[in-house]
Amino acid sequence: AQTVTQSQPEMSVQEAETVTLSCTYDTSESDYYLFWYKQPPSRQMILVIRQEAYKQQNATENRFSVNFQKAAKSFSLKISDSQLGDAAMYFCAYRYNTDKLIFGTGTRLQVFP
Amino acid sequence: DAGVIQSPRHEVTEMGQEVTLRCKPISGHNSLFWYRQTMMRGLELLIYFNNNVPIDDSGMPEDRFSAKMPNASFSTLKIQPSEPRDSAVYFCASSLVADYGYTFGSGTRLTVV
């Protein structure tokens, strides 16, 4: 069965600094999708970035980028130039084909001024 | 597009009462998912539909929970009778293709007293 693990329950970063959130997963599939979702206090789940497993190039979205290591089954999220608005819960998620999204337990990110 | 619309946003009910949560997916999306979020268990998939047909309901906790999708633009999640342990945030999400993840609604916070 596929699993997603986020080993950092909480992280903190100074405004304008860079922070990396970790995620590992387990699967026997070769073609799948990985996602990072942000959940601010408003509780809305917001898609931050996605990665297709067959693409070797790491995805980037403005200040957000990933380090995708397929062999190691690792999918970390890097947030550059952190802003106060980045404070939220961040969830890593895995999806195979049209199947369900499997979420990790989340990492709470605090941003200090 | 208005996104995925859930109602109500908050629901407070007494133990034993019937609760119905509603969801309108994004027009054109053919998959719909119901998730439950609690502090203890994180995000759990309850059930999902493809083309209005239930595909996997293995996450439905017990017979008190039922879900329907009578047409492509509407789904309900019903709890009867409700219990205090059902208190959680319930999310609905919809999707068109696997690689773009889900779009979530704003969730319904259910409190059973």
Side-chain angles (χ1 to χ4, degrees):
Chain A
Q2 297 94 350
T3 58
V4 178
T5 301
Q6 293 180 252
S7 58
Q8 305 156 315
E10 290 191 4
M11 293 283 284
S12 61
V13 63
Q14 203 88 22
E15 203 175 2
E17 297 296 309
T18 296
V19 64
T20 298
L21 309 184
S22 301
C23 173
T24 58
Y25 58 94
D26 188 25
T27 183
S28 58
E29 303 296 340
S30 60
D31 192 11
Y32 48 85
Y33 307 97
L34 297 164
F35 307 88
W36 279 97
Y37 278 85
K38 171 185 178 181
Q39 187 179 38
S42 67
R43 83 172 181 240
Q44 179 74 47
M45 294 286 284
I46 303 164
L47 179 62
V48 174
I49 199 165
R50 65 183 180 91
Q51 176 79 42
E52 297 155 19
Y54 65 86
K55 288 187 176 180
Q56 293 188 340
Q57 185 174 7
N58 289 325
T60 62
E61 288 287 342
N62 301 314
R63 297 182 296 107
F64 297 87
S65 61
V66 299
N67 182 5
F68 174 48
Q69 302 288 329
K70 190 172 184 178
K73 296 180 182 176
S74 171
F75 182 60
S76 60
L77 174 70
K78 185 171 82 171
I79 306 174
S80 304
D81 186 25
S82 297
Q83 302 175 359
L84 295 177
D86 294 334
M89 283 288 289
Y90 286 83
F91 293 94
C92 178
Y94 162 99
R95 187 178 192 187
Y96 168 65
N97 200 2
T98 58
D99 207 349
K100 58 194 175 188
L101 264 180
I102 299 172
F103 287 91
T105 52
T107 296
R108 182 174 301 281
L109 178 66
Q110 293 181 304
V111 182
F112 296 101
Chain B
D1 198 326
V4 177
I5 300 173
Q6 288 187 249
S7 64
R9 183 160 174 81
H10 303 278
E11 177 80 32
V12 180
T13 190
E14 292 186 348
M15 183 173 63
Q17 295 298 305
E18 177 180 296
V19 176
T20 299
L21 311 182
R22 297 173 175 79
C23 175
K24 176 179 170 55
I26 290 175
S27 177
H29 282 192
N30 59 359
S31 295
L32 184 140
F33 306 81
W34 283 100
Y35 278 84
R36 178 171 68 176
Q37 185 179 33
T38 60
M39 289 292 293
M40 291 297 294
R41 301 175 68 90
L43 281 156
E44 304 174 274
L45 178 69
L46 299 177
I47 185 170
Y48 77 96
F49 297 84
N50 271 351
N51 297 316
N52 312 339
V53 176
I55 302 300
D56 183 354
D57 66 353
S58 60
M60 297 287 261
E62 47 198 274
D63 292 346
R64 297 184 297 107
F65 286 70
S66 62
K68 293 182 180 179
M69 192 165 185
N71 56 61
S73 59
F74 184 66
S75 177
T76 59
L77 178 68
K78 184 178 294 186
I79 308 172
Q80 165 64 19
S82 57
E83 297 182 3
R85 59 192 168 122
D86 301 330
S87 297
V89 177
Y90 291 81
F91 284 102
C92 174
S94 70
S95 169
L96 176 59
V97 292
D99 56 344
Y100 284 90
Y102 300 175
T103 301
F104 281 80
S106 300
T108 295
R109 179 175 295 281
L110 173 65
T111 303
V112 183
V113 298

